[in-house]
Every structure is written in C-alpha cells, then in structure tokens.
C-alpha cells in the first residue's frame, strides 16, 4: 500500500508539474505533457509489475513497440471520429462503421500477438497485473485531469 501511494504521488507530481503544458486547445495536450504522462505510466507500471532487471530490459522494448502500433490505430480512430456524419450518405456511414470494426479487430489481433511476446519475458501473473494496472493508471489519470479541469487539481 505504501508503494502504491508513492507511485500515485509520483504520478501526480509528474503530471501536475506540467499543468500549464496544455496547448491552446485543451483537448490537445502538449508534447511535453504527453511525455510526462508516459513517464508517469512507466513508473506506475514498473512499480506494479515488480520486474527484475533482466525482465525490465526485455519487457520495455516490447511494450513500447506495442504502444507505437496501438497509436497508429488511435490515429485512425481520430480521423474517423472527426468525420462529418451530416455530409455522409448511409452507404458511406456503413463503410465507416465497417472500417471501425476492422480496426478494432486489428487491435484485438495485436493484443493476442503481443500477449505471446510478453509471456516469453514475464509471468502470466505479471501479464494480468499489467492489464489491470494499465486500466488503473487510466482511471487515476482521468481523475487527476478531471480535478484539474474543475479547478481542484492545483
């Protein structure tokens, strides 16, 4: 519990230090802020997974590659999300929805592929902790961002 509090404190310090780092549009954080969040995520996951030095050396390149590949999907989602539905006919909308499902399937296939890669480096228990901890990090981060937006995170 003490380690969890330390890790969460670290998360708040890292992300809190860059509160002014938002660009003009509050929905698009600056590169510095994104890097701070990524650093906090690494610290959070490192604490949770309790990786040995050897595991850490092998784990992080795999994890970073997965994140890079997932970012490509997120970019596609953003482009689709910004489509003007009023300017599209039903066939175009249907095609866009099918494309979205195809991307989701691609992400699922990616997760399956990387699960095998991770299991060559970490235990099945550590992998389960990874998935749980990623969700936990997201919840903590969203609470922090919500507090900032409402003026309570300063």
């Amino acid at each position: 519990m003490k380690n969890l509090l330390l890790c969460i404190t670290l998360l708040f310090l890292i992300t809190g230090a860059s509160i002014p780092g938002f660009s003009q549009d509050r929905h698009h954080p600056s590169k510095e802020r994104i890097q701070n969040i990524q650093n906090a995520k690494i610290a959070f996951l490192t604490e949770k997974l309790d990786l040995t030095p050897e595991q850490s050396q092998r784990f992080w390149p795999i994890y970073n590659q997965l994140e890079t590949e997932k970012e490509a999907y997120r970019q596609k989602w953003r482009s689709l999300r910004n489509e003007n539905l009023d300017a599209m006919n039903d066939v175009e909308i249907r095609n866009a929805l099918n494309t979205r499902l195809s991307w989701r399937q691609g992400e699922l296939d990616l997760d399956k592929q990387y699960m095998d890669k991770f299991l060559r480096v970490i235990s099945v228990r550590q992998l389960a902790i990874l998935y749980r901890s990623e969700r936990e990090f997201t919840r903590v981060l969203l609470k922090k961002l919500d507090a900032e937006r409402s003026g309570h995170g300063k």
Side-chain angles (χ1 to χ4, degrees):
M1 185 64 161
K2 183 178 177 183
N3 288 338
L4 176 62
L5 292 175
L6 176 66
C7 197
I8 291 173
T9 301
L10 176 63
L11 166 71
F12 287 146
L13 288 174
I14 289 173
T15 59
S18 63
I19 290 172
F22 272 111
S23 64
Q24 296 295 335
D25 182 353
R26 291 187 55 83
H27 298 291
H28 299 289
S30 71
K31 289 182 188 220
E32 177 186 351
R33 184 167 173 98
I34 290 169
Q35 186 60 52
N36 288 338
I37 291 169
Q38 288 171 341
N39 291 341
K41 184 177 182 181
I42 289 168
F44 188 84
L45 295 177
T46 297
E47 173 72 25
K48 292 290 192 168
L49 293 176
D50 194 26
L51 298 171
T52 68
E54 180 184 305
Q55 284 177 317
S56 186
Q57 185 177 21
R58 295 175 58 209
F59 171 81
W60 288 111
I62 296 169
Y63 187 84
N64 292 336
Q65 182 61 39
L66 173 61
E67 286 296 298
T68 298
E69 292 185 42
K70 282 188 172 185
E71 181 56 28
Y73 281 105
R74 287 188 285 267
Q75 291 292 339
K76 290 177 184 180
W77 282 77
R78 284 184 205 108
S79 68
L80 186 60
R81 184 180 63 210
N82 293 331
E83 291 286 330
N84 181 359
L85 292 178
D86 294 333
M88 298 171 72
N89 64 39
D90 287 351
V91 172
E92 292 169 325
I93 293 172
R94 176 72 176 226
N95 288 338
L97 291 172
N98 284 331
T99 298
R100 181 177 173 267
L101 288 175
S102 173
W103 291 339
R104 287 179 60 195
Q105 184 63 53
E107 280 189 285
L108 180 60
D109 293 342
L110 195 61
D111 284 336
K112 288 178 183 179
Q113 173 189 353
Y114 275 86
M115 185 174 104
D116 292 336
K117 290 180 181 185
F118 284 133
L119 290 175
R120 292 183 200 126
V121 176
I122 61 177
S123 71
V124 69
R125 181 173 305 280
Q126 285 173 307
L127 184 59
I129 291 169
L130 170 65
Y131 295 150
R132 180 179 290 168
S133 297
E134 284 179 317
R135 288 188 306 276
E136 184 180 349
F137 178 83
T138 300
R139 281 192 302 273
V140 169
L141 182 62
L142 289 174
K143 283 182 183 179
K144 173 71 175 153
L145 293 173
D146 188 46
E148 287 177 14
R149 288 186 188 116
S150 65
H152 298 99
K154 296 180 181 177

